[in-house]
Structure formats: structure tokens, C-alpha cells
Amino acid sequence: MGKSSSLVHFSMIFFLIFLHVSPLLVTSTPPPESPFLKCLTSNTSFSNQVSNIVFDQTNASYASILQAYIRNAKFNISTTPKPLIIVTPLNEHHVQGAVVCAKSIGVKLRIRSGGHDYEGTSYVSKEPFIILDMFNMRNVSIDVQNEFAVVQSGATTGELYYNIWKKSKVLGFPAGVCVTLGIGGHLSGGGYGSMMRKFGLSIDHVIDARIVDVNGRILDRKAMGEDLFWAIRGGGGASFGVIVSYTIKLVRIPEIVTTFVVGKTLEQNATELVLQWQEVAPSIDDRLFMRLLLQPSSSAVEKGKTTILANVNALFLGGADELVALLGKEFPLLGLKKENCSEMSWVDSLLSWANFEKGAKPEAMLDRRTNMASFLKRKSDFVEKPISKEGYEGLWKEMIKYDKVGLAFNPYGGKMNEISSDATPFPHRAGNIFKIQYSVTWKEPGIDVDEKFMDQTRKLFKYMTPFVSKNPRRAFLNYRDIDIGINNFGNDSYQQGLVYGVKYFNNNFQRLVKIKSAVDPGNFFSNEQSIPTHSSHKS
Ligand SMILES: Cc1cc2nc3c(=O)[nH]c(=O)nc-3n(C[C@H](O)[C@H](O)[C@H](O)COP(=O)(O)OP(=O)(O)OC[C@H]3O[C@@H](n4cnc5c(N)ncnc54)[C@H](O)[C@@H]3O)c2cc1C
Ligand SMILES: *[C@@H]1O[C@H](CO)[C@@H](O)[C@H](O)[C@H]1NC(C)=O
Ligand SMILES: *[C@@H]1O[C@H](CO)[C@@H](O)[C@H](O)[C@H]1NC(C)=O
Ligand SMILES: *[C@@H]1O[C@H](CO)[C@@H](O)[C@H](O)[C@H]1NC(C)=O
Ligand SMILES: *[C@@H]1O[C@H](CO)[C@@H](O)[C@H](O)[C@H]1NC(C)=O
Ligand SMILES: *[C@@H]1O[C@H](CO)[C@@H](O)[C@H](O)[C@H]1NC(C)=O
Ligand SMILES: *[C@@H]1O[C@H](CO)[C@@H](O)[C@H](O)[C@H]1NC(C)=O
Ligand SMILES: *[C@@H]1O[C@H](CO)[C@@H](O)[C@H](O)[C@H]1NC(C)=O
């Protein structure tokens, strides 16, 4: 015992010395093999591949591998802490080896699938760390007969959608609107998209999974047990282990669906439209999802003046005639005409929602669009009762004042009301009429620019306080927001975890802590907002 721990200590020092050197100081002689690499080589059955999957800071490809899946440019600057090593596993054995070896040398692991985390938790850490980058593990296999799929965590939503479409025109899957989301982060955090009112979230359709736990074991649903399987459907993967794949049940979709985007400005009575939207969108036929996008926009009526544009962006799992009749009756202020509608296949609706150009082919969803990022900040809220007209009028004033922050309202209801709030860790079910996303995206770097837009978003968030959920004011894990609390895993780590934990998970937080304490008592799998253990519970 004593011997092995001092060995570990020794190798850790070695490791840190050799990997902290700046590339500028490296001489032409190659660095000696690191303890991590040695451990990995001896612990995986495909040791001959190991030299192809480990990128240290001196490697010429290190920067491009790191940047490939950065999706928030805020974390692509020189002061952003960088990983000691990036490991890009090709198979489950490599994942097992990376976990065992990172743990044995006492270095943190950050797990990255698609890199879309708004706060960069998959690739940034203040402590010395290694990135386990899953992009090579992206097989998608579809079983049309039995209507399910096995999808590895490094696949994107686009790759999943494409592979389903290749095999069947009447099967689909409810997941995100963006087609470059990683399955690992997206599904472990919930996963919602334009079919959520009909089918619920992605996690409501997960039937099995494979995970590498803190001891390097590979577990499927049966081996991990129902507690851990529950946790990784909405509780975030990063607290529990490395999710290698999910098995998902596919859903039946019609061959023709209908989309539209119809907008009105304040001059065109957008306020009345929004008031009617919030009554109709959460209660109408669950085949219809109408997202409301609110943004400041220059007025066409009065030059130099800013107005609010309210766009209704819809997906209907049916034909245009039926949709126009339905909305004529229930949402007359929209004034929807058949000319405003487009009938198309489900796969084309995905392309359209993801803002591809008209005529884009499904193959476009295979483009991972790597190394592309703007600066961004997102926040979330849940709305439980209709907001008053005065509330909206005040909101417009605030939005016009800040001029850059937009809001997206995603209607709930339908299937979301039918699933109990503890069926998965995701607690925001019946009782919510819509979710708000606060969104600001900018191009220019600079701390003062960052501060300006962050500040505007926070002020708008403050304005909304009386209109949204309280005690706790809840938030959506996939819309990661470190403003709501962070953990530094000191003495009061449980208390710190409680602060953001109840916002993301409400009454499900305690069960997550219990599961975390059982499967990873040493808290190896952690980040700024991971689930703390019980043992850190000090009063
Ligand atoms: C442009 C954009 C559009 C979006 N649209 C939607 C949307 O329509 N619907 C929606 O629900 N969300 C949406 N999101 C949010 C998105 O779902 C989350 O950011 C999600 O976590 C992304 O998953 P990822 O694998 O790409 O992210 P990553 O940054 O790779 O990971 C996110 C978190 O999950 C952990 N993780 C990743 N892979 C694994 C794994 N294999 N095992 C264990 N833990 C893992 C990471 O460590 C990190 O903590 C959007 C985000 C962006 C940037
Ligand atoms: C495999 O990993 C363990 C850490 O759990 C390490 O102690 C051991 O040395 C490694 N195996 C070999 C043969 O190096
Ligand atoms: C960089 O790392 C990769 C993957 O391990 C390896 O194949 C390659 O030879 C390395 N390149 C250099 C110049 O060290
Ligand atoms: C992915 O699928 C291919 C073809 O079925 C297979 O050869 C390969 O081993 C799979 N890769 C992984 C990582 O499972
Ligand atoms: C909807 O169709 C009507 C009638 O063709 C047209 O006047 C209106 O501009 C369209 N609205 C949008 C948002 O396209
Ligand atoms: C807005 O509403 C007012 C009052 O109901 C109405 O008189 C006016 O015609 C509407 N304007 C538009 C552009 O629909
Ligand atoms: C990150 O910064 C580098 C320049 O340092 C740039 O080439 C790259 O495109 C950026 N990537 C992203 C994702 O912003
Ligand atoms: C943690 O608790 C111990 C004992 O109660 C105390 O000595 C120490 O200062 C605390 N550390 C921090 C970071 O609060």
C-alpha cells in the first residue's frame, strides 16, 4: 500500500515536470515517455495503437486537436488553461486505460464529446487535467426492424439523424436542433428539440447505455443497475463516468411534416401575438412545436428606432392544410396562410431548423464544422404561469435598451406533462408552460466586450425574476450557466453543490448525490458543476 502510493506520487511529479514545459522551451530531443503513456501502453490490449491516440503539448497537432471542438471562443484564448495531454480513444479499451491511468497519476480528466458546453466544462479546468476526446468513437448502428439504434457518444446529432434517414423515412429521434451536438453531453444532460411536445426529451427514449466507471470497468444497464442508469439520463455524464454509447428507441414520424416562420414587430402588434402564443403554444395539439424568438431589430416604420421582432418558428408533424385550419381556429392573431407553410420530409425540416441553405442535402449534416466558434453567453429560466401584458411591455423596454440579447421561448406541455418529474433527473415537467433561453453571441474578443454582454444578459435575467420559477429559480443543465453557482470541492463542497444542484435538478438532487457517493466516492469525475458526494457534507 505504502509502496504503491509513493510510486504514484513519484510518477505524478515526473509527469508534471515533463508536461508543464512550454513548447518554446522544448529542445530538439524528444521528451522521455511520460508515466501516463507508459501506464496506458501497459494497460490496454491494443498497446501498438497508443502512440497514435496521445497528443502532448509538444505535439504539432496538439493545438488543432484542442481547438477542433471548442464552441465558445471565450475559451480559445491564451489565458485559458490547457490540458497536459489530449487522448483520442479509438475503442472502449482505450477509454478504460485513460480513466485508470489518469486516476493512478492523480490528474483530472475532462470528457469531451461534441464540445458544445456553454461554459467549456468539457475542455477547461483550473487543475492540471487531461482531455478524453471522444470524436473518434462515433459509430451509429440502426436496427430498423426493432426500431432502435446504438450510438456512440462521440457521434453528433447530425450523424445520428443522417443514419436514421438512410435506413428509414418513417423513423426519427427527438433531440437537439443543432446538428453538431455531441451525443455524450447532449443525451446525458437531457436533450430537447422540435419534437419534444410529441415525444418528450432524448432521455425519455434511452433504453440502455455503456459506461466506463471510475475503476475502469465497462458496464451496461444490467451491470450498472437502475440507479446509475437513471442518473446518466439527465444528471450529466461527467459526474459519473465516461459514457461510451447509448441505446435509443426510435420514434415513428410522418413522411410529410410542415414548417413555417412568421414574424411580427411591435408596430404589427407583436405584444398581442406573444400574449396569445403563451396561451396556445403549450396546450395545442402535441404534434405542433412553435418556438418563439424575440429579438431587438431596427424598425421599418420609424428610421433609427429599435423595435422587437417576434418570430414564431414551427414544426408540425402533419400536413399544411390541417395546420392552417388548426391555427386559424386556435391562434388567429398569427394569420397563418398556406403560402407561409412548407411541406417537407422530416430530414429536410432538420436542415431548415438548423439554418442550412434551401436545397441542402442530408449529407450536409455530416459536416462537423470543426474549429468554428463565436463568443457566447446563455442562461435559462422556466415559466409556470402566463406573463402579463405589462410584464412584456417592460421586457421590450429592457431588450431595446441592451439591443443585443435575444430570448427563445420553448413551449412545454404535451408529452412533457405526462412524464413524472422524478422519472429522470430532469425535473422540469408538468407545471411549466415554457422555458426561456437568454442568448447573446458576439464576434469581437476582449474582456470589456465580454463584460458588457454578460452584464446585459444578467440584467435582463434580473428583470425576469417576478415572472419565472422561484425557490429555487430553476435552470436547464444543457444550458450550462456558471452564474448559478460553482464548486471548488473544498470543505463545503456539498453545500456548494446544493446551490446549483437544486436549480438544475430540484427534488432529484439528493438521489443524484446518493448515486454519486456510491459510484465515485473519491470524486474523480468532477467539474465546476458536478454532483458532490455525501462525504463532503459537513455541517
Ligand atoms: C449551438 C448550440 C446549440 C444547442 N442546441 C441545443 C438544443 O437544441 N437542445 C438542447 O437540449 N441543447 C442544445 N444545446 C446545448 C447542448 O445540448 C449541450 O451543450 C450539450 O451538453 C452538448 O453536448 P456535447 O457533447 O456537444 O458537449 P461537451 O462540451 O462535449 O460536453 C458537455 C458536458 O457533458 C460531459 N460529457 C460529454 N461527453 C461525455 C461522455 N461521453 N461521458 C460523460 N460525460 C460527457 C462533458 O464533460 C461536459 O460536462 C446547444 C448548444 C450549442 C452550443
Ligand atoms: C496499469 O495501471 C495501474 C493503475 O491503476 C498501474 O498501477 C499499473 O502500473 C499499470 N500497469 C502496468 C503494467 O503498468
Ligand atoms: C503527435 O501525436 C500523434 C498521436 O499520438 C502521433 O501519431 C504523432 O506521431 C505525433 N507527432 C509528433 C510530431 O510527435
Ligand atoms: C464501428 O463500426 C465498424 C463497422 O461496423 C467496426 O468495424 C468498428 O470496430 C466500430 N468501432 C467501434 C469503436 O466500435
Ligand atoms: C404569409 O403569407 C401572406 C400571404 O401570401 C404574406 O402576405 C405574408 O407576408 C406571409 N408572411 C410571412 C411571414 O412570410
Ligand atoms: C393592432 O391592433 C390595433 C388595435 O386592436 C388595430 O387597430 C390595428 O389595426 C392592429 N395593427 C395591425 C398591424 O394589425
Ligand atoms: C482559436 O484561435 C485560433 C487562433 O489562435 C484560431 O485559428 C481558431 O480558428 C480559433 N478556433 C475557434 C474554435 O475559435
Ligand atoms: C477545512 O476544514 C479543516 C478542519 O475543519 C480546516 O482546518 C481547514 O482550514 C478547512 N479548509 C478550508 C479550505 O476551508
Side-chain angles (χ1 to χ4, degrees), residues 46 54 182 216 231 255 294 338 366 389 391 405 452 469 490 502 525:
F46 299 96
V54 177
E255 278 179 71
L294 300 167
K338 195 168 178 193
L366 299 176
K389 185 169 184 190
V405 187
K452 183 175 92 186
S469 68
V502 297
F525 290 111

Side-chain angles (χ1 to χ4, degrees), residues 267-269 272:
E267 295 86 348
Q268 296 165 320
N269 293 344
E272 304 301 324

